[in-house]
């Protein structure tokens, strides 16, 4: 299905993933690899940074300990997993691409192969609908979702639109980040960028980069000309738009007890702790867009800040730290 590339102390090994898949309900190979992310037990740590693109993942990975093995796996479906140690603590950095489904694949499949609690921080990009300008950082302490109401755009829409209470876009309730984890990120980012450049607040996660974020596209009937103002009416405290944080917070809230083997499990729910931060690349107030050079400069600093927050976050129950874990293999 893909090439698996493992780097261990500078040595590269390549193999082709052609393992038989089993169990149509939750597909997994006969070697224990999940279907989309393609990882198996021992290849992902309990502390994870998730990003969108591979370049950001590789840039963050430069901060991992040089004296520990570094594992890389690139899946056929666009996921990149890098696992090593930071300050002696096992860390995974996973690039997942964009959107709600990719976040869902990632969280569910990683959860299935890691014992113990998970601490997941998303660091990505966002648009600002508040005071934050391009180049600022927004810590998203809560999120709601905006989804296109497909029924509104049905074949009978022109006849029924004035006779129905349906709106072209749906808004969910708010789901929150883990308070301890997001506050650690907030502190590290303020120490790195200064208080004036870090904002904390409510995020809108949208199921499209275009329609449900209020972008105008004359090629489609999106009925979104007033969407930004509607967001402010429904959730006046909303300050950012992006495409993943809500799903991360929702799944963390929905997570069940710890899948910790050989242990008396005393935690009945919420085995995943989640938080999110993003650099502002699009200012929807001024219509400004960030330069690629500035993106590189910001994420270079932000990567270390997020790593510091993650290793400082306490997890009581973690995956067995044995020789089967890639961070212990030479």
């Amino acid at each position: 299905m893909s090439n698996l590339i493992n780097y261990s102390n500078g040595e590269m090994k390549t193999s082709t993933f052609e393992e038989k898949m089993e169990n149509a309900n939750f597909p997994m190979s006969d070697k224990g690899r999940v279907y989309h992310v393609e990882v198996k037990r021992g290849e992902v740590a309990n502390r994870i940074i998730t990003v969108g693109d591979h370049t950001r993942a590789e840039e963050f990975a430069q901060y991992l300990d040089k004296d520990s093995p570094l594992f890389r796996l690139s899946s056929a479906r666009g996921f990149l997993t890098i696992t090593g140690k930071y300050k002696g603590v096992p860390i995974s950095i996973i690039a997942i691409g964009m959107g709600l489904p990719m976040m869902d694949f990632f969280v569910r499949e990683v959860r299935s192969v890691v014992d113990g609690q998970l601490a997941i921080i998303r660091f990505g990009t966002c648009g600002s609908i508040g005071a934050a300008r391009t180049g600022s950082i927004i810590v998203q302490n809560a999120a709601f979702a905006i989804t296109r109401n497909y029924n509104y755009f049905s074949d009978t829409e022109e006849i029924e639109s004035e006779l129905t209470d349906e709106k072209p876009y749906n808004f969910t309730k708010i789901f929150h980040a883990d308070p301890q984890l997001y506050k650690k990120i907030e502190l590290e980012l303020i120490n790195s960028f200064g208080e004036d450049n870090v904002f904390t607040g409510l995020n809108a996660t949208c199921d499209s980069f275009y329609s449900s974020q209020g972008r105008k596209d004359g090629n489609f009937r999106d009925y979104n000309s007033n969407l930004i103002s509607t967001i402010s009416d429904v959730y006046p405290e909303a300050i950012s738009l992006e495409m993943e944080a809500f799903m991360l917070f929702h799944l963390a809230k929905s997570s069940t007890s710890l899948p910790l083997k050989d242990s008396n499990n005393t935690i009945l729910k919420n085995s995943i702790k989640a938080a999110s931060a993003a650099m502002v690349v699009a200012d929807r107030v001024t219509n400004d867009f960030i330069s690629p050079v500035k993106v590189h400069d910001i994420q270079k600093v932000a990567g270390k800040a997020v790593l510091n927050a993650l290793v400082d976050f306490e997890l009581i129950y973690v995956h067995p730290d044995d020789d089967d874990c890639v961070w212990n293999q030479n």
Side-chain angles (χ1 to χ4, degrees), residues 148-154 156-157 160-170 223:
R148 189 176 177 99
N149 180 5
Y150 301 107
N151 290 338
Y152 188 88
F153 299 85
S154 67
T156 58
E157 167 233 338
E160 299 180 354
S161 61
E162 296 182 359
L163 305 177
T164 179
D165 292 330
E166 287 200 87
K167 304 297 182 183
Y169 297 91
N170 296 321
Y223 298 103

Side-chain angles (χ1 to χ4, degrees), residues 129 144-146 169-171 202-206 211-215 224 226-242 284:
I129 55 174
F144 62 96
I146 302 175
Y169 297 91
N170 296 321
F171 290 62
L202 179 63
N203 173 72
T205 294
C206 308
S211 65
S212 53
Q213 291 192 35
R215 288 186 165 92
N224 63 356
N226 298 318
L227 186 55
I228 299 297
S229 61
T230 301
I231 294 171
S232 298
D233 291 339
V234 177
Y235 289 118
E237 64 273 37
I239 62 174
S240 64
L241 304 169
E242 51 78 78
R284 301 301 301 280

